């Protein structure tokens, strides 16, 4: 056992690398430690293209060009969390796993390049999130890059999940012949340690959800733990989620990345962790969480059949991972309450846990999973929507299946009641049904198109189906478009009079209102943006004061029923014919019509 304790999860937050966009720092690290690998002395060049996602480390995409070649090669630069960096054995462990797996003919993973010292890593003092601990000694690795797209950005299908199951089964078969002393370590994300989750339950925001997680932990202790000695052991990948599965040409799995959570534990856990993530994939989130997990299990079981004892605990162990993600997510939020993303990202996980643990009958789910592991299993039989009645699965075997994707319901995600009223009116006579999900999405910063697109990404993750979001700006021409997307804050803090005063001293009081609507038909689908603008000028308030800056925006477009009136003075139906919002939504309507024809 290594000396790691559960509180290392706490230290991981302090010691998360904080290089971010500071590519100069990273360039120095690479030039000083990887000049041979990147053949810098013979004219090789490199460029950091961008930062990639990571939970506790920092990853960057590097493009390398050699003087003799016209093609470029991509690499991944991984800056490890300070906790892992303290332990050279862990880094060596991860490198050994990759080397081992790359020998398998049908498995590809990243591989480390050697530093100028001949080691598959280098160490540097670099900034970390906690100023008290910054800079800290961090380990940097230069890794080969697997060409393709993470599954998280693909439209996931049951067939893809089935092959992902087969792929992980191959990885696990290969890891049955692998051992390393550092694999014997404590890790809070290892579901064998579900009991250690108890200390984090207090960070969960509602008593109902605290009770939910406690009941999963209770079940784990009373049913799984007594069987521990009958569960096969092995080194696990431990984190087979859609960000770590790379999809290559023709939607084939091109490789697996990230062995940061790898431990020696119960073999079945590699499969149940991945099943939990399959539930949260783009297919799982569109009302097919159980089907998604069953497709994965089916694929895994064909190549690596589970034993009767392992089968018995599949449901509980899947829920242990969901509970772990949701609870440690709540803990992260408690450490960084300004980060609303953490809450939004955790929400689908909570909903899935509620569904699987509390709403679906345990015996029926067990028999569904048995079906997935039986010789009769096929993806058609398993691709069922999540149940709405408790005995769903019994009926299912004899009834025909129903598809959720036929419905054309689009959810408009906004926290603003007045916007919703207008949008419902504008979208009244369309084929799509607009429902509303009231949610205060974070007020993001940046260009209006970017803000709207990001809101849409958050909304689609929250809803798991077709969504619309919009962001509205009020742009003063004299101020080169400011306050723009920040109008909400200016209005809150300065009021209508303040907005007027901002233009005192300028001869130009003209402005334009802009709405950028973002539409996405579901997880994994592209986001479409529609930009509507209306010209006017800023005046002293006239008309009702019930919607934002309506009383101070005098419209200069349209006929006598709109030009020269403030939005607040106009009839609501007239506002929709000339407004920024009306124009943007009209474009969306035409788009939806062409899409459905
Ligand atoms: O949840 P979301 O959709 O983000 O709703 P929001 O009220 O936060 O809206 P925005 O982020 O788009 O911020 C726009 C600000 O402009 C106001 N606003 C939006 N549309 C308006 C309109 O048509 N007329 C007047 N004020 C408007 C709105 O009340 C906000 O203060
Ligand atoms: Mg907003």
């Amino acid at each position: 056992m290594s000396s790691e304790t559960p509180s290392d999860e706490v230290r991981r937050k302090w010691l998360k690398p904080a290089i971010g966009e500071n590519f100069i720092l990273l360039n120095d690290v690479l030039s000083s430690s990887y000049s041979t690998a990147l053949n810098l002395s013979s004219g090789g060049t490199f460029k950091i293209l961008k930062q990639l996602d990571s939970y506790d480390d920092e990853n960057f995409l590097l493009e390398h060009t050699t003087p003799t070649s016209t093609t470029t090669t991509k690499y991944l630069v991984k800056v490890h969390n300070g906790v892992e960096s303290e332990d050279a054995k862990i880094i060596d462990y991860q490198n050994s796993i990759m080397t081992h797996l790359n020998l398998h003919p049908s498995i590809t993973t990243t591989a480390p390049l050697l530093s100028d010292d001949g080691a598959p890593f280098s160490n540097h003092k670099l900034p970390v999130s906690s100023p008290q601990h910054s800079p800290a000694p961090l380990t940097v690795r230069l890794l080969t890059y697997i060409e393709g797209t993470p599954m998280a950005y693909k439209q996931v299908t049951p067939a893809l999940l089935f092959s992902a199951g087969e792929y992980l089964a191959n990885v696990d078969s290969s890891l049955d012949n692998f051992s390393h002393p550092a694999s014997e370590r404590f890790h809070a994300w290892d579901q064998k340690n579900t009991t250690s989750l108890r200390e984090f339950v207090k960070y969960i925001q509602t008593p109902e959800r605290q009770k939910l997680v406690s009941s999963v932990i209770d079940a784990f202790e009373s049913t799984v733990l007594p069987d521990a000695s009958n569960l096969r052991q092995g080194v696990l990948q431990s984190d087979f989620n859609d960000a770590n599965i790379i999809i290559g040409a023709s939607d084939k799995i091109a490789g697996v990345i990230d062995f940061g959570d790898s431990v020696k534990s119960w073999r079945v856990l590699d499969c149940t962790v991945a099943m939990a993530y399959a539930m949260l994939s783009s297919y799982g989130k569109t009302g097919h969480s159980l089907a998604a997990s069953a497709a994965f299990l089916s694929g895994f079981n064909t190549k690596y059949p589970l034993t009767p004892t392992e089968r018995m605990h599949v449901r509980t162990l899947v829920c242990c991972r969901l509970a772990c993600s949701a609870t440690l997510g709540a803990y992260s939020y408690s450490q960084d309450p300004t980060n609303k993303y953490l809450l939004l990202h955790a929400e689908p996980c909570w909903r899935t846990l509620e569904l699987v643990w509390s709403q679906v009958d345990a015996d029926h789910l067990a028999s569904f999973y048995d079906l997935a592991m039986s010789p009769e299993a096929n993806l058609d039989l398993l691709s069922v929507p999540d149940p709405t009645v408790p005995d769903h699965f019994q009926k299912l075997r004899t009834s025909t299946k129903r598809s959720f994707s036929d419905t054309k319901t689009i959810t408009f995600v906004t926290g603003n009641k007045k916007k919703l009223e207008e949008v419902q009116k504008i979208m009244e006579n369309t084929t799509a049904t607009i429902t509303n999900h009231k949610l205060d999405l974070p007020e993001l910063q940046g260009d209006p198109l970017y803000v709207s697109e990001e809101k849409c990404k958050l909304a689609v993750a929250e809803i798991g189906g077709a969504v619309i979001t919009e962001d509205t700006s009020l742009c003063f021409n004299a101020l080169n478009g400011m306050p723009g997307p920040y109008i909400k804050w200016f209005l809150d803090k300065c009021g209508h009079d303040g907005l007027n005063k901002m233009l005192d001293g300028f001869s130009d009081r003209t402005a334009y209102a802009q709405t950028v609507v973002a539409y996405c038909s579901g997880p994994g689908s592209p986001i479409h943006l529609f930009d509507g603008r209306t010209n006017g000028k800023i005046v002293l308030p006239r008309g009702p004061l019930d919607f934002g800056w309506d009383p101070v925006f005098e419209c200069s477009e349209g006929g006598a029923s709109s030009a020269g009136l403030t939005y607040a003075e106009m009839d609501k139906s007239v506002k929709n014919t000339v407004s920024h919002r009306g124009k943007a939504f009209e474009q969306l309507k035409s788009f939806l019509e062409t899409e459905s024809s």
Side-chain angles (χ1 to χ4, degrees):
M1 277 275 181
S2 90
S3 58
E4 192 174 349
T5 65
S7 66
D8 279 337
E9 188 60 21
V10 177
R11 295 179 60 244
R12 264 191 202 97
K13 297 281 163 288
W14 302 337
L15 299 180
K16 180 175 162 112
I19 295 166
E21 300 295 307
N22 193 352
F23 294 163
I24 298 176
L25 205 58
L26 211 54
N27 287 342
D28 285 349
V29 164
L30 292 161
S31 312
S32 65
S33 294
Y34 290 93
S35 68
T36 313
L38 298 170
N39 22 61
L40 300 184
S41 53
S42 50
T45 55
F46 70 89
K47 192 164 122 198
I48 306 288
L49 296 181
K50 59 177 176 179
Q51 186 171 5
L52 302 170
D53 293 342
S54 179
Y55 192 80
D56 281 332
D57 302 329
E58 276 196 321
N59 295 331
F60 302 87
L61 184 62
L62 178 143
E63 188 180 68
H64 178 241
T65 317
T66 56
T68 50
S69 155
T70 48
T71 55
T72 56
T73 316
K74 292 202 181 96
Y75 292 98
L76 186 88
V77 185
K78 189 165 188 78
V79 184
H80 284 268
N81 190 285
V83 173
E84 275 70 36
S85 302
E86 284 161 9
D87 198 345
K89 288 197 298 294
I90 291 285
I91 306 290
D92 179 61
Y93 168 48
Q94 293 180 19
N95 287 336
S96 310
I97 290 189
M98 292 175 181
T99 312
H100 175 86
L101 287 177
N102 274 326
L103 293 174
H104 191 288
S106 49
I107 301 170
T108 304
T109 181
T110 44
L113 277 81
L114 296 186
S115 76
D116 295 341
D117 295 337
F121 60 88
S122 60
N123 292 321
H124 306 265
K125 281 222 155 201
L126 291 167
V128 291
S129 343
S130 151
Q132 289 99 308
H133 297 83
S134 197
L138 301 182
T139 296
V140 175
R141 285 191 300 162
L142 181 62
L143 300 160
T144 54
Y145 179 79
I146 305 170
E147 279 296 345
T149 312
M151 194 160 101
Y153 301 114
K154 300 292 268 188
Q155 188 69 52
V156 174
T157 59
L160 189 58
L161 290 168
F162 185 91
S163 28
E166 291 182 310
Y167 201 94
L168 183 64
N170 279 337
V171 168
D172 282 355
S173 302
S174 171
L175 289 178
D176 279 342
N177 302 314
F178 174 83
S179 66
H180 193 286
S183 67
E184 314 251 354
R185 59 173 178 147
F186 179 93
H187 198 294
W189 288 84
D190 175 2
Q191 264 61 76
K192 188 175 72 188
N193 305 317
T194 295
T195 299
S196 72
L197 217 55
R198 283 209 198 276
E199 69 170 292
F200 294 98
V201 169
K202 59 176 179 281
Y203 297 107
I204 300 172
Q205 291 203 305
T206 67
E208 293 77 26
R209 287 180 168 176
Q210 291 188 354
K211 254 174 75 189
L212 174 68
V213 168
S214 299
S215 103
V216 176
I217 303 174
D218 291 345
F220 169 82
E221 290 174 345
S222 62
T223 63
V224 185
L225 272 188
D227 263 344
S229 58
N230 296 323
L231 296 172
R232 290 176 291 179
Q233 303 246 348
V235 171
L236 317 179
Q237 192 272 349
S238 286
D239 196 17
F240 205 63
N241 68 51
D242 58 10
N244 291 338
I245 305 169
I246 308 299
I247 310 297
S250 342
D251 277 352
K252 289 267 173 326
I253 296 183
V256 49
I257 57 167
D258 196 351
F259 290 82
D261 285 348
S262 175
V263 281
K264 182 168 180 192
S265 189
W266 302 330
R267 171 58 71 219
V268 62
L269 288 173
D270 233 0
C271 178
T272 52
V273 163
M275 286 170 70
Y277 287 125
M279 289 177 161
L280 300 169
S281 70
S282 62
Y283 173 62
K285 273 199 210 153
T286 42
H288 291 85
S289 41
L290 303 177
S293 59
F296 188 93
L297 173 64
S298 194
F300 186 93
N301 190 70
T302 51
K303 300 253 169 187
Y304 200 120
L306 299 189
T307 64
T309 317
E310 288 166 344
R311 286 172 177 228
M312 221 158 63
H313 299 302
V314 165
R315 169 182 170 269
T316 307
L317 292 174
V318 166
C319 289
C320 287
R321 170 53 71 130
L322 291 170
C324 178
S325 295
T327 306
L328 294 181
Y331 169 69
S332 297
Y333 178 67
S334 75
Q335 301 302 293
D336 181 8
T338 56
N339 191 348
K340 292 256 165 46
Y341 283 89
L342 291 169
L343 280 189
L344 279 169
H345 284 144
E347 199 48 36
C349 187
W350 281 114
R351 298 244 187 92
T352 308
L353 180 60
E354 281 154 2
L355 172 84
V356 184
W357 193 247
S358 313
Q359 291 158 25
V360 178
D361 180 88
D363 289 342
H364 293 138
L365 184 53
S367 61
F368 184 53
Y369 284 154
D370 280 344
L371 179 69
M373 290 182 279
S374 72
E376 302 86 66
N378 68 61
L379 291 177
D380 269 351
L381 200 59
L382 299 177
S383 301
V384 293
D386 286 336
T388 49
V389 288
D391 64 344
H392 180 83
F393 291 121
Q394 276 173 356
K395 284 189 188 153
L396 172 99
R397 294 180 194 191
T398 50
S399 70
T400 51
K401 60 186 177 119
R402 165 168 81 92
S403 164
F404 270 81
S405 57
D406 295 344
T407 55
K408 283 230 179 55
T409 302
I410 309 176
T411 307
F412 179 38
V413 179
T414 181
N416 188 314
K417 207 169 100 229
K418 287 282 163 187
K419 271 189 187 178
L420 176 65
E421 282 169 16
E422 287 189 4
V423 169
Q424 278 168 337
K425 263 250 140 339
I426 300 169
M427 299 294 285
E428 221 166 41
N429 295 320
T430 47
T431 46
T433 313
I434 307 293
T435 61
N436 168 244
H437 184 79
K438 188 176 177 317
L439 181 68
D440 272 321
L441 292 163
E443 293 298 327
L444 305 165
Q445 293 189 19
D447 168 74
L449 295 166
Y450 166 82
V451 172
S452 197
E453 187 171 358
E454 290 300 305
K455 279 168 96 168
C456 193
K457 280 187 198 160
L458 294 171
V460 86
E462 161 78 13
I463 300 297
V467 293
I468 301 171
T469 54
E470 65 116 284
D471 201 72
T472 295
S473 304
L474 185 62
C475 310
F476 297 176
N477 291 319
L479 301 180
N480 292 325
M482 282 290 124
Y486 310 110
I487 182 61
K488 185 161 174 160
W489 304 127
F490 279 81
L491 182 63
D492 279 359
K493 305 286 174 220
C494 314
H496 293 138
D497 287 342
L499 291 182
N500 266 280
K501 286 202 184 103
M502 280 168 64
L503 287 173
D504 287 352
F506 290 98
S507 55
D508 181 4
R509 301 188 76 84
T510 62
Y512 64 92
Q514 178 185 20
T515 287
V516 179
V517 172
Y519 164 72
C520 177
S521 64
S525 301
I527 293 176
H528 301 274
L529 299 176
F530 307 94
D531 186 343
R533 299 177 187 208
T534 298
N535 291 308
K537 67 176 184 192
I538 303 303
V539 297
L540 289 173
R542 299 196 316 255
L545 302 175
D546 60 348
F547 187 10
W549 38 263
D550 265 1
V552 296
F553 183 79
E554 184 187 285
C555 177
S556 57
E557 298 188 16
S561 57
S562 59
L565 298 180
T566 66
Y567 272 164
E569 289 174 310
M570 280 176 210
D571 195 276
K572 273 283 161 219
S573 55
V574 175
K575 179 181 171 190
N576 284 341
T577 63
V578 283
S579 80
H580 50 301
R581 179 166 297 106
K583 290 176 186 170
F585 274 90
E586 282 307 326
Q587 294 170 40
L588 169 70
K589 271 189 347 208
S590 324
F591 174 82
L592 292 174
E593 274 155 27
T594 0
E595 216 191 19
S596 65
S597 62

